[in-house]
C-alpha cells in the first residue's frame, strides 16, 4: 500500500492537494482512500472539531486527545485492519498536529509518534507564511482556536523544526504550479518503487530529490 501524508499549516492547502493526489491515482485505476483529520464520520473526529471551534485551554486538550484517537482509528480501519486494503491511502493532517502543543511536548510527542506510528517516503509538509495562512482562513465560515497571527507563527516555527526529512512545499504559488511540483516528486518515488518493488523504506526518511523539487 502506498501511504501518503499531507500535513502543514492551516490554510496551506492540505485538503486541496490531497484531493488532487487522490484524483491522480484514481485516474490510474487504483483503489484510493482519503482521510482528512479530524473527520466527521466518527465520534472522535466530531468531538475534536467541536473542541477546536469552541476554544479555551480545556478544549485545546480535548481537541488534541480526540484528534489523536481519530487518526489512530483511521490507521486501524484503513491500514492495519483493512483487507483487501486500498492501493493508496492518503492522510491529510497526521503527525504535525503536535505542533499546536507547547514546544517541549511537541518535540517529545513527535519523536514518540514517529517511532510508533507508520511513516512513509511520501511525507509532504505544505508551507505558507502565517500572514497568507491567516488571510485564507479568514475567508472561511468557521474559525478555530489557533487562527490568529501569533499562534500561526509559533506553530509554523515548531512544525518546520520537526519536518526534517519531509518534502517541504511552498504553497503560495498558484495551485497548478504547486501540484506540478508535488506530482514530480510522486513520479520519482513511484518510479523508484516500481523498479525495485519492495525496497521502499516504510519507516525511513524520503530519498533525496533535486533541490528545485523540495521547496
Amino acid at each position: 500500500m502506498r501511504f501518503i501524508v499531507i500535513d502543514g499549516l492551516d490554510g496551506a492547502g492540505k485538503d486541496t492537494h490531497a484531493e488532487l493526489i487522490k484524483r491522480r491515482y484514481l485516474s490510474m485505476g487504483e483503489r484510493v482512500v482519503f482521510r482528512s483529520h479530524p473527520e466527521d464520520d466518527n465520534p472522535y473526529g466530531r468531538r475534536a472539531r467541536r473542541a477546536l471551534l469552541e476554544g479555551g485551554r480545556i478544549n485545546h486538550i480535548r481537541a488534541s486527545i480526540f484528534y489523536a484517537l481519530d487518526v489512530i482509528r483511521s490507521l486501524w480501519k484503513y491500514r492495519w485492519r483493512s483487507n483487501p486494503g486500498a492501493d493508496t491511502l492518503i492522510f491529510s493532517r497526521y503527525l504535525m498536529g503536535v505542533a499546536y502543543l507547547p514546544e517541549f511536548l511537541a518535540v517529545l510527542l513527535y519523536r514518540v509518534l514517529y517511532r510508533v506510528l507508520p511513516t512513509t517516503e511520501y511525507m509532504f509538509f505544505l508551507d505558507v507564511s502565517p500572514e497568507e495562512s491567516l488571510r485564507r482562513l479568514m475567508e472561511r465560515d468557521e474559525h478555530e482556536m489557533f487562527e490568529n497571527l501569533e499562534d500561526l507563527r509559533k506553530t509554523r516555527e515548531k512544525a518546520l523544526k520537526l519536518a526534517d526529512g519531509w518534502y517541504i512545499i511552498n504553497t503560495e504559488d498558484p495551485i497548478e504550479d504547486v501540484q506540478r511540483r508535488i506530482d514530480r516528486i510522486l513520479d520519482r518515488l513511484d518510479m523508484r518503487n516500481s523498479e525495485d518493488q519492495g525496497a521502499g523504506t516504510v519507516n525511513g526518511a524520503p530519498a533525496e530529490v533535486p533541490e528545485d523539487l523540495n521547496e
Side-chain angles (χ1 to χ4, degrees):
M1 176 189 290
R2 181 190 295 105
F3 182 33
I4 300 175
V5 173
I6 307 295
D7 231 317
L9 201 63
D10 287 342
K14 296 182 292 295
D15 284 358
T16 297
H17 290 286
E19 181 64 35
L20 290 171
I21 293 170
K22 174 184 174 181
R23 294 178 190 175
R24 165 194 169 98
Y25 289 109
L26 284 174
S27 72
M28 299 177 183
E30 294 195 7
R31 295 168 296 176
V32 182
V33 171
F34 168 37
R35 301 292 294 170
S36 176
H37 304 106
E39 283 281 11
D40 291 329
D41 63 356
N42 68 91
Y44 305 130
R46 289 193 293 270
R47 291 180 182 179
R49 188 173 299 279
R50 185 164 60 248
L52 286 169
L53 293 173
E54 291 176 356
R57 180 170 295 182
I58 297 299
N59 279 319
H60 185 178
I61 297 171
R62 288 175 178 167
S64 299
I65 293 172
F66 287 120
Y67 170 85
L69 291 172
D70 185 33
V71 169
I72 291 170
R73 178 186 179 276
S74 290
L75 287 170
W76 172 257
K77 186 171 182 179
Y78 299 103
R79 182 175 172 89
W80 293 330
R81 189 181 180 188
S82 182
N83 186 24
D87 300 302
T88 297
L89 176 61
I90 304 170
F91 275 15
S92 174
R93 302 176 192 85
Y94 187 45
L95 297 178
M96 287 301 174
V98 301
Y100 292 92
L101 299 171
E103 186 165 6
F104 78 95
L105 189 57
V107 173
L108 176 62
L109 282 178
Y110 181 83
R111 289 174 179 173
V112 171
L113 294 175
Y114 193 88
R115 290 178 178 273
V116 173
L117 297 181
T119 55
T120 173
E121 299 171 291
Y122 297 79
M123 296 177 77
F124 295 84
F125 182 85
L126 306 190
D127 188 30
V128 65
S129 71
E131 292 78 11
E132 176 62 16
S133 170
L134 186 61
R135 186 191 68 77
R136 296 177 183 180
L137 292 171
M138 290 301 100
E139 295 177 353
R140 299 179 180 176
D141 294 330
E142 294 184 324
H143 300 288
E144 298 176 356
M145 66 174 71
F146 301 106
E147 295 180 5
N148 61 80
L149 198 55
E150 181 180 1
D151 280 338
L152 289 170
R153 284 171 175 165
K154 291 179 179 178
T155 300
R156 178 175 182 264
E157 183 179 354
K158 286 180 283 186
L160 287 173
K161 290 179 181 177
L162 297 174
D164 183 42
W166 293 54
Y167 295 112
I168 299 176
I169 309 292
N170 187 312
T171 62
E172 295 195 25
D173 292 331
I175 291 173
E176 296 79 7
D177 294 343
V178 173
Q179 190 59 36
R180 274 194 291 270
R181 292 202 293 271
I182 294 173
D183 282 338
R184 288 165 63 189
I185 296 173
L186 293 174
D187 287 342
R188 181 185 179 94
L189 290 172
D190 288 347
M191 182 178 298
R192 189 184 68 188
N193 290 331
S194 65
E195 290 175 350
D196 192 9
Q197 188 68 34
T201 301
V202 173
N203 290 302
E208 292 185 2
V209 296
E211 185 175 350
D212 63 325
L213 294 185
N214 198 6
E215 59 183 21

